[in-house]
Amino acid sequence: MKNIKIFLLLFLGFSFVLHAQTKKATNTLLWEISGNGLKKPSYLFGTHHLISKKFADTMKVLQEKLKLADAVVGEIITDSSTQKKMGPFLIMKNNTLDSLLTKTEYKEVEDYFKSKQPDFELKQLNNFKPAMVSLMITLFDNPELMDNVGKEGMDDGFQQDAKKNAKALYGLETAEYQASLLFDNDLQKQKKALLKAVREVDKSKLKMEELKSDYLNQDMDKLTILFKIQDEEFKEFMTELLKNRNKRWLDQLPAMMQKQSLFIAVGAGHLVGDEGLIKGLQAKHYILKPIATN
Protein backbone atom coordinates (compact mmCIF):
# COMPACT_ATOMS: atom_id res chain seq x y z
CA MET A 1 0.00 0.00 0.00
CA LYS A 2 1.32 3.43 -0.95
CA ASN A 3 2.69 5.55 1.87
CA ILE A 4 2.44 2.77 4.46
CA LYS A 5 5.18 4.43 6.49
CA ILE A 6 3.05 7.55 7.01
CA PHE A 7 0.09 5.47 8.17
CA LEU A 8 2.33 3.66 10.63
CA LEU A 9 3.91 6.75 12.08
CA LEU A 10 0.54 8.36 12.73
CA PHE A 11 -0.11 5.97 15.59
CA LEU A 12 3.07 6.84 17.44
CA GLY A 13 2.75 10.48 17.84
CA PHE A 14 0.64 13.33 16.84
CA SER A 15 -0.31 19.84 13.50
CA PHE A 16 -0.08 22.39 11.21
CA VAL A 17 0.77 26.07 11.94
CA LEU A 18 2.95 27.48 14.67
CA HIS A 19 1.09 29.39 17.37
CA ALA A 20 2.75 32.06 19.47
CA GLN A 21 4.74 30.84 22.44
CA THR A 22 2.66 31.10 25.60
CA LYS A 23 3.96 33.00 28.60
CA LYS A 24 4.56 29.92 30.74
CA ALA A 25 8.25 29.06 30.36
CA THR A 26 7.72 25.30 30.41
CA ASN A 27 5.18 25.46 27.59
CA THR A 28 7.61 24.51 24.89
CA LEU A 29 8.47 21.39 22.92
CA LEU A 30 12.20 22.21 22.98
CA TRP A 31 14.44 21.45 25.98
CA GLU A 32 18.18 21.83 26.53
CA ILE A 33 19.99 19.00 28.33
CA SER A 34 23.15 19.90 30.26
CA GLY A 35 25.05 19.10 33.45
CA ASN A 36 26.05 15.68 34.81
CA GLY A 37 29.47 15.88 33.16
CA LEU A 38 28.31 16.74 29.62
CA LYS A 39 30.91 18.73 27.69
CA LYS A 40 28.28 20.13 25.33
CA PRO A 41 24.50 20.43 25.75
CA SER A 42 22.07 18.25 23.83
CA TYR A 43 18.53 19.15 22.80
CA LEU A 44 15.22 17.30 23.17
CA PHE A 45 12.28 18.14 20.90
CA GLY A 46 8.77 16.68 20.85
CA THR A 47 7.47 16.01 17.35
CA HIS A 48 4.14 15.27 15.71
CA HIS A 49 4.76 12.36 13.35
CA LEU A 50 2.29 13.49 10.70
CA ILE A 51 3.18 17.13 10.38
CA SER A 52 5.00 18.84 7.55
CA LYS A 53 8.62 19.80 8.12
CA LYS A 54 7.50 23.37 7.45
CA PHE A 55 6.29 23.45 11.07
CA ALA A 56 9.86 23.16 12.32
CA ASP A 57 11.29 25.34 9.55
CA THR A 58 9.42 28.35 10.98
CA MET A 59 11.04 27.93 14.41
CA LYS A 60 14.12 30.16 14.41
CA VAL A 61 15.59 29.07 17.76
CA LEU A 62 14.86 25.41 17.05
CA GLN A 63 16.82 25.62 13.80
CA GLU A 64 19.73 27.26 15.62
CA LYS A 65 19.90 24.42 18.14
CA LEU A 66 19.65 21.84 15.38
CA LYS A 67 22.72 23.39 13.73
CA LEU A 68 24.66 23.30 17.00
CA ALA A 69 24.15 19.55 17.50
CA ASP A 70 26.71 17.04 16.24
CA ALA A 71 24.17 14.30 15.58
CA VAL A 72 20.42 13.73 15.15
CA VAL A 73 18.53 11.01 17.03
CA GLY A 74 15.08 9.73 16.08
CA GLU A 75 12.84 6.91 17.21
CA ILE A 76 13.85 4.97 14.11
CA ILE A 77 15.94 5.84 11.08
CA THR A 78 13.57 6.29 8.15
CA ASP A 79 14.84 5.58 4.66
CA SER A 80 13.86 3.75 1.48
CA SER A 81 13.92 0.42 3.30
CA THR A 82 11.53 1.38 6.10
CA GLN A 83 8.32 0.51 4.27
CA LYS A 84 9.72 -2.87 3.22
CA LYS A 85 10.72 -3.65 6.80
CA MET A 86 7.40 -2.65 8.34
CA GLY A 87 5.01 -3.78 5.62
CA PRO A 88 4.91 -7.51 6.45
CA PHE A 89 3.69 -6.76 9.98
CA LEU A 90 0.46 -5.32 8.55
CA ILE A 91 -0.69 -8.58 6.98
CA MET A 92 -2.60 -11.36 8.72
CA LYS A 93 -1.34 -14.89 8.24
CA ASN A 94 -3.97 -17.62 7.98
CA ASN A 95 -6.76 -15.14 8.70
CA THR A 96 -8.84 -12.45 7.01
CA LEU A 97 -11.11 -9.63 8.15
CA ASP A 98 -14.25 -11.39 6.92
CA SER A 99 -13.28 -14.42 9.03
CA LEU A 100 -12.25 -12.44 12.11
CA LEU A 101 -15.38 -10.27 12.12
CA THR A 102 -18.95 -11.49 12.24
CA LYS A 103 -21.10 -10.61 9.21
CA THR A 104 -22.76 -7.84 11.23
CA GLU A 105 -19.41 -6.45 12.39
CA TYR A 106 -17.95 -6.65 8.90
CA LYS A 107 -20.90 -4.69 7.48
CA GLU A 108 -20.57 -2.16 10.29
CA VAL A 109 -16.94 -1.46 9.38
CA GLU A 110 -17.65 -1.41 5.65
CA ASP A 111 -20.61 0.94 6.12
CA TYR A 112 -18.31 3.39 7.88
CA PHE A 113 -15.94 3.51 4.90
CA LYS A 114 -18.83 3.74 2.44
CA SER A 115 -20.14 6.77 4.35
CA LYS A 116 -16.84 8.46 3.48
CA GLN A 117 -16.30 6.91 0.06
CA PRO A 118 -19.45 5.31 -1.46
CA ASP A 119 -17.64 3.00 -3.88
CA PHE A 120 -15.36 1.58 -1.15
CA GLU A 121 -15.33 -2.18 -0.61
CA LEU A 122 -13.81 -3.59 2.56
CA LYS A 123 -12.58 -6.67 0.71
CA GLN A 124 -9.73 -4.46 -0.54
CA LEU A 125 -8.39 -4.59 3.02
CA ASN A 126 -9.32 -8.18 3.77
CA ASN A 127 -5.77 -9.32 4.50
CA PHE A 128 -4.78 -6.33 6.62
CA LYS A 129 -4.71 -6.55 10.40
CA PRO A 130 -7.49 -4.69 12.25
CA ALA A 131 -4.96 -2.23 13.71
CA MET A 132 -4.09 -1.06 10.20
CA VAL A 133 -7.76 -0.63 9.35
CA SER A 134 -8.18 1.40 12.55
CA LEU A 135 -5.42 3.74 11.40
CA MET A 136 -7.17 4.23 8.09
CA ILE A 137 -10.36 5.17 9.93
CA THR A 138 -8.42 7.84 11.81
CA LEU A 139 -7.21 9.27 8.51
CA PHE A 140 -10.60 9.05 6.80
CA ASP A 141 -12.20 10.87 9.73
CA ASN A 142 -9.52 13.57 9.89
CA PRO A 143 -9.09 14.95 6.34
CA GLU A 144 -6.41 17.42 7.46
CA LEU A 145 -4.23 14.43 8.41
CA MET A 146 -4.93 12.71 5.10
CA ASP A 147 -3.77 15.87 3.30
CA ASN A 148 -0.31 15.39 4.82
CA VAL A 149 0.12 11.80 3.66
CA GLY A 150 3.05 11.65 1.29
CA LYS A 151 4.55 14.96 2.38
CA GLU A 152 7.89 15.08 4.15
CA GLY A 153 7.18 14.94 7.86
CA MET A 154 8.97 16.80 10.62
CA ASP A 155 10.83 13.70 11.84
CA ASP A 156 12.03 12.98 8.30
CA GLY A 157 13.01 16.62 7.92
CA PHE A 158 15.39 16.46 10.88
CA GLN A 159 16.95 13.28 9.55
CA GLN A 160 17.35 14.74 6.06
CA ASP A 161 19.07 17.74 7.64
CA ALA A 162 21.55 15.40 9.33
CA LYS A 163 22.34 13.66 6.04
CA LYS A 164 22.63 16.95 4.17
CA ASN A 165 25.11 18.30 6.70
CA ALA A 166 27.06 15.05 7.07
CA LYS A 167 26.04 14.62 10.70
CA ALA A 168 25.71 11.29 12.47
CA LEU A 169 22.18 9.86 12.55
CA TYR A 170 20.94 7.35 15.13
CA GLY A 171 17.73 5.45 15.76
CA LEU A 172 16.71 4.49 19.29
CA GLU A 173 14.98 1.35 18.01
CA THR A 174 14.45 -0.58 14.79
CA ALA A 175 11.62 -0.26 12.28
CA GLU A 176 10.82 -3.93 12.86
CA TYR A 177 10.40 -3.40 16.60
CA GLN A 178 8.11 -0.43 16.03
CA ALA A 179 5.96 -2.35 13.56
CA SER A 180 5.80 -5.32 15.92
CA LEU A 181 4.65 -3.04 18.73
CA LEU A 182 1.81 -1.67 16.63
CA PHE A 183 0.64 -4.76 14.81
CA ASP A 184 1.75 -7.95 16.54
CA ASN A 185 -0.58 -7.80 19.53
CA ASP A 186 -3.57 -10.13 19.92
CA LEU A 187 -5.98 -10.02 16.95
CA GLN A 188 -9.02 -10.16 19.20
CA LYS A 189 -7.80 -7.01 20.98
CA GLN A 190 -7.19 -5.39 17.60
CA LYS A 191 -10.73 -6.36 16.54
CA LYS A 192 -12.16 -4.79 19.68
CA ALA A 193 -10.21 -1.60 19.06
CA LEU A 194 -11.39 -1.51 15.42
CA LEU A 195 -15.05 -1.77 16.37
CA LYS A 196 -14.53 0.87 19.04
CA ALA A 197 -12.99 3.16 16.42
CA VAL A 198 -16.03 2.74 14.16
CA ARG A 199 -18.54 3.23 16.96
CA GLU A 200 -16.83 6.22 18.57
CA VAL A 201 -15.63 8.21 15.57
CA ASP A 202 -17.08 11.49 16.87
CA LYS A 203 -15.41 11.06 20.27
CA SER A 204 -12.08 10.20 18.63
CA LYS A 205 -12.27 13.18 16.30
CA LEU A 206 -12.82 15.55 19.22
CA LYS A 207 -9.82 14.06 21.00
CA MET A 208 -7.65 14.48 17.89
CA GLU A 209 -8.74 18.12 17.64
CA GLU A 210 -7.92 18.68 21.30
CA LEU A 211 -4.54 17.03 20.84
CA LYS A 212 -3.85 19.17 17.80
CA SER A 213 -4.73 22.38 19.63
CA ASP A 214 -2.62 21.51 22.68
CA TYR A 215 0.33 20.56 20.50
CA LEU A 216 0.17 23.75 18.43
CA ASN A 217 0.05 25.78 21.63
CA GLN A 218 2.95 23.72 23.00
CA ASP A 219 0.87 23.30 26.16
CA MET A 220 2.87 20.69 28.03
CA ASP A 221 0.47 20.61 30.98
CA LYS A 222 -2.52 19.72 28.80
CA LEU A 223 -0.50 17.22 26.79
CA THR A 224 0.51 15.57 30.05
CA ILE A 225 -3.14 15.18 31.03
CA LEU A 226 -4.15 13.86 27.61
CA PHE A 227 -1.50 11.16 27.61
CA LYS A 228 -2.28 10.21 31.20
CA ILE A 229 -5.95 9.53 30.45
CA GLN A 230 -6.37 6.13 28.84
CA ASP A 231 -8.98 3.43 28.53
CA GLU A 232 -8.52 0.54 30.93
CA GLU A 233 -8.46 -1.96 28.07
CA PHE A 234 -5.49 -0.23 26.41
CA LYS A 235 -3.34 0.34 29.50
CA GLU A 236 -1.03 -2.58 28.74
CA PHE A 237 -0.42 -1.34 25.21
CA MET A 238 0.11 2.27 26.32
CA THR A 239 2.57 1.10 28.98
CA GLU A 240 4.71 -0.47 26.26
CA LEU A 241 4.15 2.39 23.81
CA LEU A 242 5.35 5.09 26.21
CA LYS A 243 6.64 3.99 29.62
CA ASN A 244 8.71 0.95 28.64
CA ARG A 245 10.15 2.56 25.53
CA ASN A 246 11.10 5.64 27.53
CA LYS A 247 12.99 3.44 29.99
CA ARG A 248 14.97 1.81 27.19
CA TRP A 249 15.77 5.17 25.62
CA LEU A 250 16.88 6.58 28.98
CA ASP A 251 19.33 3.69 29.22
CA GLN A 252 20.81 4.58 25.82
CA LEU A 253 20.95 8.36 25.82
CA PRO A 254 23.51 9.12 28.57
CA ALA A 255 26.40 7.36 26.83
CA MET A 256 25.41 8.91 23.49
CA MET A 257 25.26 12.45 24.93
CA GLN A 258 28.63 11.95 26.62
CA LYS A 259 30.25 11.41 23.21
CA GLN A 260 28.64 14.25 21.28
CA SER A 261 25.90 16.87 21.28
CA LEU A 262 22.58 15.37 20.17
CA PHE A 263 19.38 16.75 18.70
CA ILE A 264 16.81 14.21 19.93
CA ALA A 265 13.49 14.30 18.06
CA VAL A 266 10.81 11.90 19.33
CA GLY A 267 7.02 12.00 19.63
CA ALA A 268 5.87 14.70 22.07
CA GLY A 269 4.03 12.10 24.15
CA HIS A 270 7.39 10.71 25.21
CA LEU A 271 8.44 13.99 26.83
CA VAL A 272 5.60 14.51 29.27
CA GLY A 273 4.45 12.97 32.54
CA ASP A 274 6.15 11.39 35.53
CA GLU A 275 7.59 8.65 33.33
CA GLY A 276 8.47 10.92 30.40
CA LEU A 277 11.94 11.76 29.13
CA ILE A 278 12.08 15.19 30.76
CA LYS A 279 11.60 13.89 34.29
CA GLY A 280 13.54 10.73 33.47
CA LEU A 281 16.61 12.72 32.49
CA GLN A 282 16.24 14.97 35.52
CA ALA A 283 16.19 11.86 37.71
CA LYS A 284 19.55 10.97 36.16
CA HIS A 285 20.87 14.35 37.38
CA TYR A 286 20.77 16.22 34.08
CA ILE A 287 19.59 19.82 33.93
CA LEU A 288 16.56 20.23 31.63
CA LYS A 289 15.98 23.82 30.55
CA PRO A 290 12.88 24.81 28.52
CA ILE A 291 13.68 26.90 25.45
CA ALA A 292 11.14 28.96 23.48
CA THR A 293 11.19 27.79 19.87
CA ASN A 294 11.10 31.34 18.47
Side-chain angles (χ1 to χ4, degrees):
M1 176 176 283
K2 188 177 180 180
N3 295 318
I4 283 176
K5 182 181 69 175
I6 303 297
F7 285 106
L8 293 170
L9 291 177
L10 168 65
F11 206 70
L12 290 172
F14 41 90
S15 198
F16 300 92
V17 291
L18 178 64
H19 286 199
Q21 182 74 26
T22 59
K23 292 182 179 179
K24 188 173 180 180
T26 54
N27 273 355
T28 178
L29 297 163
L30 179 63
W31 295 70
E32 181 184 86
I33 308 167
S34 62
N36 201 16
L38 294 184
K39 297 177 181 178
K40 296 172 64 177
S42 286
Y43 303 94
L44 176 65
F45 181 74
T47 69
H48 185 312
H49 295 311
L50 200 68
I51 187 173
S52 167
K53 66 182 291 290
K54 292 179 181 179
F55 176 89
D57 290 344
T58 64
M59 299 177 177
K60 181 180 178 181
V61 176
L62 175 71
Q63 294 301 318
E64 291 173 355
K65 302 306 181 185
L66 177 60
K67 289 179 181 178
L68 289 175
D70 301 316
V72 171
V73 178
E75 295 181 18
I76 62 172
I77 295 177
T78 55
D79 54 31
S80 59
S81 69
T82 303
Q83 182 172 323
K84 183 177 180 180
K85 291 175 181 176
M86 302 180 89
F89 290 88
L90 308 179
I91 307 300
M92 285 189 282
K93 297 177 181 178
N94 304 317
N95 210 336
T96 56
L97 279 178
D98 58 6
S99 296
L100 187 64
L101 302 172
T102 66
K103 288 185 178 181
T104 301
E105 291 167 344
Y106 188 89
K107 184 177 185 302
E108 188 177 2
V109 175
E110 186 168 58
D111 285 348
Y112 165 81
F113 282 105
K114 283 185 176 295
S115 72
K116 302 294 180 180
Q117 190 174 311
D119 60 348
F120 184 91
E121 293 187 5
L122 191 56
K123 65 181 180 180
Q124 301 173 59
L125 308 177
N126 209 30
N127 292 317
F128 283 110
K129 291 181 180 177
M132 181 61 185
V133 183
S134 295
L135 291 186
M136 294 187 67
I137 287 175
T138 300
L139 287 178
F140 268 74
D141 216 51
N142 294 274
E144 73 279 7
L145 297 182
M146 183 70 84
D147 289 342
N148 278 315
V149 172
K151 297 179 181 178
E152 185 178 24
M154 186 161 42
D155 298 79
D156 285 340
F158 292 137
Q159 296 194 18
Q160 290 304 317
D161 182 88
K163 295 173 183 177
K164 178 182 177 181
N165 292 289
K167 293 185 177 183
L169 177 59
Y170 305 107
L172 293 168
E173 58 198 22
T174 66
E176 290 88 346
Y177 165 76
Q178 207 169 87
S180 175
L181 171 65
L182 294 178
F183 299 104
D184 263 3
N185 56 322
D186 181 77
L187 288 178
Q188 288 300 321
K189 290 182 179 180
Q190 290 190 35
K191 169 185 170 178
K192 188 174 183 179
L194 171 59
L195 294 173
K196 184 180 178 72
V198 170
R199 295 165 183 169
E200 298 184 3
V201 288
D202 291 338
K203 181 179 178 181
S204 297
K205 188 170 184 177
L206 285 174
K207 189 169 184 178
M208 289 292 289
E209 290 173 354
E210 184 180 4
L211 182 61
K212 171 185 173 181
S213 175
D214 293 342
Y215 182 82
L216 294 179
N217 285 313
Q218 303 193 53
D219 193 323
M220 301 297 278
D221 291 337
K222 289 185 177 180
L223 288 175
T224 299
I225 293 171
L226 273 178
F227 277 92
K228 191 174 184 178
I229 298 173
Q230 52 190 264
D231 293 337
E232 186 68 31
E233 60 197 284
F234 298 124
K235 275 191 175 181
E236 182 180 348
F237 173 73
M238 292 302 292
T239 295
E240 180 59 32
L241 185 70
L242 295 175
K243 179 180 176 180
N244 293 348
R245 292 169 76 211
N246 286 349
K247 284 183 177 179
R248 289 191 287 271
W249 297 352
L250 286 167
D251 287 339
Q252 298 177 57
L253 289 171
M256 297 171 69
M257 292 189 295
Q258 195 66 40
K259 293 179 180 178
Q260 55 192 154
S261 174
L262 307 178
F263 184 89
I264 307 159
V266 296
H270 291 283
L271 272 61
V272 300
D274 292 338
E275 294 159 342
L277 295 181
I278 293 173
K279 288 194 174 181
L281 287 166
Q282 288 173 333
K284 289 181 176 289
H285 310 296
Y286 293 99
I287 299 169
L288 274 288
K289 176 184 175 184
I291 301 177
T293 52
N294 268 320

